[in-house]
Amino acid sequence: MPPVLCKAPVVQQAAVVPGVYRLAFTAPEIARTVQPGQFVHLRVGSTHDPLLRRPFGVHDVDRECGTVSILFQVVGRGTAILAEVRPGGVLDVLGPLGRGFTLPAPALPVALVAGGLGIAPLAFLLRRLAAAGIKGSLFQGARTAGLLLGAEETVPGFKRRLATDDGTAGHRGSVVDLFTASLVAGYRYAYVYAAGPYPMLRALATRMREYRLEGEVSLEERMACGLGACLCCSTGVQSDSGTGYARVCADGPVFPVREVAWS
Ligand SMILES: Cc1cc2nc3c(=O)[nH]c(=O)nc-3n(C[C@H](O)[C@H](O)[C@H](O)COP(=O)(O)OP(=O)(O)OC[C@H]3O[C@@H](n4cnc5c(N)ncnc54)[C@H](O)[C@@H]3O)c2cc1C
Ligand code: FES
């Protein structure tokens, strides 16, 4: 479905943990068609500064109410402005954009591996997989226990395994180490979905290659148009015929893990 540009009334804005917000807005056309892994491109503020939109993966949708939610972290000026938006305000939204995760999963059981804010798009995927009766494990990592967003939620058919860098919840260490430990213990996953910081995804890709696992990762790049026209979000990709470039906004943000030319 082609993306729509709309004025979306904000219906919820709440700090989930310090510096991380959940924002919901009404955009029925986007809510009706958006798929896990796709993103929305938001204008932050009402002036031309900042000029460029900011991309955010869709965290949840309520198709009946026509609402779309994002989960975002304040990292700079744009997200700081977005954190000030209140219910009753109106956002300028372009979406849904990009290519999402492959659904249904090509093979079962699945593993979802989320690092930090990577849980934002993966939570939407998780709910969709669970609703389809698909089973598997969610490996979720964060710096510390308080940043394990949604860790208390139970999802039918999915076992949630936690990792924290400081050991305050679950495994002490990275989520990739936790995932690797399960492989060493003999667990096998027919398909892996992942989102999180680039170094974490690169480490995961290495493990997946070692264990011959197939799957998809959601990549992030700085974006301008979000529509595939400006090429500013290019990333290296590889195939049997050689290496090249793909646009994260239009050819991704979700890519088969073996197609990414990790740098
Ligand atoms: C497809 C996609 C989906 C995303 N989904 C989410 C999400 O669900 N939740 C969320 O919190 N963030 C998400 N992001 C990242 C989000 O777009 C950036 O954090 C945001 O644009 C930063 O804007 P800013 O003006 O606050 O920061 P800026 O002032 O522009 O930058 C502040 C810092 O953030 C870094 N940064 C900015 N944009 C990106 C980016 N695209 N990728 C990596 N680092 C960046 C900059 O290098 C800099 O260090 C996503 C990005 C992409 C491309
Ligand atoms: S942001 Fe313009 S091509 Fe991707």
Side-chain angles (χ1 to χ4, degrees):
M1 181 220 135
V4 294
L5 180 61
C6 62
K7 298 287 181 200
V10 173
V11 291
Q12 190 203 21
Q13 167 82 288
V16 210
V17 297
V20 178
Y21 294 79
R22 184 185 163 111
L23 183 151
F25 53 83
T26 304
E29 285 182 77
I30 298 176
R32 195 160 40 80
T33 59
V34 67
Q35 297 300 319
Q38 289 189 296
F39 68 97
V40 287
H41 216 19
L42 306 185
R43 265 198 69 193
V44 292
S46 50
T47 69
H48 288 291
D49 180 26
L51 180 64
L52 298 178
R53 292 173 179 273
R54 299 296 195 261
F56 299 95
V58 169
H59 177 56
D60 202 5
V61 290
D62 184 329
R63 295 208 201 275
E64 270 179 33
C65 298
T67 53
V68 176
S69 302
I70 61 168
L71 192 65
F72 71 95
Q73 182 163 28
V74 174
V75 296
R77 184 136 179 279
T79 43
I81 295 171
L82 200 57
E84 295 300 316
V85 175
R86 293 286 169 263
V90 175
L91 282 173
D92 183 316
V93 183
L94 176 63
L97 295 174
R99 289 170 49 154
F101 293 105
T102 302
L103 282 168
L108 302 175
V110 299
L112 277 64
V113 186
L117 259 282
I119 192 64
L122 287 185
F124 182 20
L125 174 70
L126 181 65
R127 287 182 208 109
R128 189 59 72 76
L129 291 170
I134 290 167
K135 296 187 187 336
S137 295
L138 167 66
F139 296 85
Q140 184 177 357
R143 273 189 289 114
T144 190
L147 298 177
L148 283 166
L149 304 166
E152 65 296 337
E153 253 181 68
T154 54
V155 179
F158 277 84
K159 189 169 178 190
R160 197 184 285 254
R161 313 271 311 274
L162 304 176
T164 49
D165 293 345
D166 64 3
T168 45
H171 168 83
R172 183 191 200 100
S174 85
V175 70
V176 176
D177 290 346
L178 177 63
F179 177 68
T180 307
S182 90
L183 297 175
V184 171
Y187 290 92
R188 287 295 176 270
Y189 307 97
Y191 210 69
V192 180
Y193 298 100
Y198 190 88
M200 171 230 142
L201 295 177
R202 185 176 48 204
L204 179 70
T206 304
R207 291 290 102 74
M208 287 175 64
R209 204 166 43 242
E210 284 165 13
Y211 283 84
R212 297 180 194 283
L213 295 171
E214 293 289 332
E216 295 172 354
V217 290
S218 180
L219 297 184
E220 290 188 8
E221 279 295 338
R222 300 297 294 261
M223 291 185 179
C225 72
L227 293 163
C230 70
L231 305 184
C232 89
C233 64
S234 296
T235 193
V237 288
Q238 59 193 9
S239 66
D240 293 343
S241 52
T243 56
Y245 287 93
R247 300 154 305 172
V248 170
C249 67
D251 303 314
V254 174
F255 292 89
V257 68
R258 69 185 132 72
E259 281 183 16
V260 179
W262 299 97
S263 57

